[in-house]
Amino acid sequence: MSTTSLPASARTPRLRQALIAAAFTADGLLERLGAPAYAALARSETVPALRATRGDSPLDTLVRLFLLQRHVPAARVAAALPLEECVEDGWVVREGDLVRATVDVRPYGGPEGEDWFIVSDLGCAVGGAGGIGSHEEAVVLGVGGASTTLAGITVRRPVATALDLGAGSGIQALHAAQHAIRVTATDVNPRALDFTRLTLALSGAAPADLRVGSLYEPVDTETYDLIVSNPPFVISPGARLTYRDGGMGGDDLCRTLVQQAGDRLNEGGYAQFLANWQHVEGEEWQDRLRSWVPQGCDAWIVQREVQDITQYAELWLRDSGDHRTDPAAYAERYEAWMDEFEARRTKGVGFGWITLRKSAAAVAGNPSVVIEEWPHSVEQPLGPAVEAHFVRQDYLREHDDAALLAAHFTLSDEVVQEQVGLPGAEDPEHVVLRQHRGMRRATKVDAVGAGFAGVCDGSLPAGRILDAIAQLMAEDPVLLRDRTPQAIRLLVEEGFLEPVRGGA
């Protein structure tokens, strides 16, 4: 892979037009390669795609040139692209009668079906011909699972200003450019900003304000309506690889990124991050993360996975290709990771999402901070679910138990009720409410909860529904009203019940 000078972007509209004309798009690739070969690319397996592109169509040529990074006859490239312009601008290089790409150009489908292209170093996109396995400090990666996850969980609403901190190849800036008037993208690696410029230009997006620097240094005290970051969050001994290693001890980079976000957010603004955090002996991981939340911000933190320290070290040693080097050098690096974890009393590493929102209630000293573990499958994009979570938190802060009993609710559209019990039994052992969208939560409810949820259609206040249930179940209505608001609060918080606005 190359870290030489990058292509010029002045004539990218003509290149973009040629790529789309050849159906070198996300949809075109799937149709041409077929689902098995397309999926194999995501596993860095290129043989199925090579077999599927043995023809001489422009699309076959572009797949082999940019995705599989093979040398292709110049005549075939000229039939697919404005070859001389691409040579002059540095997208490809002539080597006799053959042409090779200088960068990875990867079709990427936007949320509304847009034809976008992510530009990165050769072999450094997931599914790249060579895999990542890079020891080059300034290498810039393309699209991966982490970047698409962050793009999916980000709240998408029209905003004036957005900041992509640690832009890499520019995927977050590209998404933000669709709903922000002004996008600022920063990175400590100047090459990354060059790739961001190429990604935006080749995707037909507006240019971003590109600034070199670490963390919030490039933006000083400027504030934003949206901050997103897929930072180099790997907890490692040292900062050998810029794209991956934060260069601070332990999880200090992620902590600093989160703690300093509050001062850069406008009222109502969101900051959303992917992060790693240490699980330290004698310390609850939830308490560790709670201490990261800046004053004036609500927070929703979701731990998606926890790895023990051996799994974690092996994952990232393989990511950089260290397992393919000298065994003694591999063992030495492995030992260094173990020494680092031992010194910090680290027993595991968590991975997940951190979302902050600056709110008036939090500024006034009444923040909503929810920290949970959710390793189960979810439905992307989750941005609407993230925004809805904070709307519900606002509602619950504004309504005490008496107000909840006077309020009207409806059962969320995607919720179904499941009854679990032995076949033929007169009554179920328990009832489960299950969401089939968003976080796909499930919660067990008792007979009162099941009956309450089942009749919530917005027509009656919660208190009257409980009175009717008390009469049917021969319970004291006063006691039922006393003990039920907490259960209602939980069902609202997790999105099973939706308040009827104006109903309370």
Side-chain angles (χ1 to χ4, degrees):
M1 67 194 61
S2 171
T3 54
T4 58
S5 60
L6 299 181
S9 60
R11 291 187 284 197
T12 48
R14 284 174 54 81
L15 176 57
R16 171 179 170 80
Q17 184 179 14
L19 296 177
I20 294 175
F24 188 65
T25 62
D27 290 340
L29 284 182
L30 180 59
E31 182 177 349
R32 182 67 185 91
L33 300 180
Y38 191 75
L41 270 181
R43 303 189 298 269
S44 295
E45 296 292 348
T46 59
V47 171
L50 281 168
R51 292 175 61 84
T53 56
R54 288 179 291 191
D56 59 359
S57 71
L59 180 54
D60 293 331
T61 298
L62 296 177
V63 170
R64 285 184 168 243
L65 181 67
F66 287 121
L67 264 63
L68 304 180
Q69 286 133 38
R70 294 300 197 269
H71 286 70
V72 181
R76 287 182 54 182
V77 177
L81 299 172
L83 177 56
E84 297 309 320
E85 288 184 8
C86 289
V87 170
E88 291 175 14
D89 291 346
W91 293 94
V92 298
V93 172
R94 275 183 179 271
E95 295 179 349
D97 292 333
L98 299 177
V99 173
R100 65 171 177 83
T102 62
V103 292
D104 185 301
V105 177
R106 191 148 302 249
Y108 179 79
E112 303 298 327
E114 301 95 338
D115 291 320
W116 291 344
F117 301 93
I118 311 300
V119 189
S120 64
D121 271 315
L122 293 173
C124 288
V126 170
I132 295 176
S134 172
H135 294 119
E136 293 192 44
E137 182 179 351
V139 75
V140 177
L141 305 187
V143 182
S147 54
T148 56
T149 293
L150 179 58
I153 68 172
T154 299
V155 174
R156 303 293 174 194
R157 57 188 184 131
V159 295
T161 56
L163 170 65
D164 179 6
L165 196 153
S169 57
I171 182 174
Q172 309 306 328
L174 177 57
H175 276 278
Q178 311 309 305
H179 62 100
I181 296 173
R182 180 171 62 86
V183 176
T184 301
T186 72
D187 204 291
V188 70
N189 180 5
R191 277 177 55 80
L193 297 180
D194 288 336
F195 275 115
T196 294
R197 171 178 51 81
L198 293 172
T199 290
L200 293 172
L202 194 57
S203 299
D209 178 6
L210 306 177
R211 306 185 191 181
V212 178
S214 176
L215 297 175
Y216 297 100
E217 293 172 1
V219 300
D220 196 20
T221 59
E222 295 177 43
T223 57
Y224 298 86
D225 302 310
L226 174 66
I227 299 172
V228 291
S229 183
N230 175 20
F233 52 67
V234 176
I235 300 171
S236 60
R240 191 161 60 108
L241 303 174
T242 301
Y243 74 86
R244 187 192 75 178
D245 304 321
M248 296 185 181
D251 52 18
D252 283 355
L253 182 135
C254 291
R255 175 185 57 80
T256 302
L257 192 65
V258 174
Q259 286 182 334
Q260 294 183 359
D263 292 335
R264 274 81 179 183
L265 280 177
N266 294 325
E267 177 72 22
Y270 286 86
Q272 298 187 260
F273 312 98
L274 300 186
N276 273 173
W277 44 80
Q278 297 171 123
H279 283 230
V280 179
E281 292 180 11
E283 179 182 358
E284 294 295 331
W285 67 270
Q286 296 94 334
D287 293 339
R288 184 179 192 84
L289 290 175
R290 190 171 286 108
S291 72
W292 291 10
V293 178
Q295 290 186 344
C297 287
D298 302 317
W300 185 21
I301 301 174
V302 181
Q303 180 167 273
R304 295 287 289 157
E305 181 183 9
V306 182
Q307 290 185 310
D308 68 52
I309 56 176
T310 58
Q311 289 176 311
Y312 189 81
E314 291 161 12
L315 168 68
W316 293 109
L317 286 168
R318 283 173 168 76
D319 169 80
S320 56
D322 287 306
H323 62 301
R324 295 196 294 265
T325 63
D326 175 58
Y330 173 82
E332 182 179 351
R333 290 196 175 102
Y334 202 146
E335 286 278 5
W337 286 68
M338 295 299 101
D339 289 343
E340 176 79 3
F341 287 137
E342 182 178 340
R344 295 181 177 277
R345 298 183 296 113
T346 303
K347 60 183 180 179
V349 178
F351 166 80
W353 318 324
I354 297 177
T355 299
L356 307 176
R357 184 194 59 165
K358 196 158 194 176
S359 74
V363 170
N366 185 26
S368 165
V369 178
V370 177
I371 302 174
E372 62 177 316
E373 186 164 18
W374 190 255
H376 312 294
S377 64
V378 299
E379 182 185 65
Q380 288 276 32
L382 267 174
V386 173
E387 187 171 17
H389 166 88
F390 288 96
V391 171
R392 293 194 298 268
Q393 293 301 315
D394 287 342
Y395 178 88
L396 292 172
R397 273 187 297 211
E398 296 164 0
H399 289 72
D400 59 16
D401 287 354
L404 282 182
L405 292 175
H408 296 237
F409 300 95
T410 60
L411 193 65
S412 297
D413 291 339
E414 74 275 9
V415 174
V416 297
Q417 178 177 299
E418 300 175 357
Q419 295 185 351
V420 181
L422 294 174
E426 183 175 349
D427 297 312
E429 293 181 13
H430 59 266
V431 175
V432 174
L433 300 180
R434 187 179 302 277
Q435 300 170 354
H436 285 280
R437 301 186 66 183
M439 292 292 285
R440 293 179 175 168
R441 296 186 187 275
T443 188
K444 188 186 298 185
V445 293
D446 60 14
V448 172
F452 181 85
V455 298
C456 275
D457 61 2
S459 61
L460 294 174
R464 287 187 58 186
I465 294 175
L466 290 177
D467 291 343
I469 292 174
Q471 185 174 5
L472 287 173
M473 300 181 68
E475 290 204 31
D476 185 328
V478 175
L479 293 178
L480 192 60
R481 278 175 171 255
D482 285 344
R483 76 168 194 259
T484 305
Q486 187 58 37
I488 295 175
R489 193 171 293 276
L490 181 62
L491 291 175
V492 172
E493 179 177 323
E494 296 191 340
F496 292 95
L497 292 179
E498 295 288 344
V500 177
R501 301 298 171 176

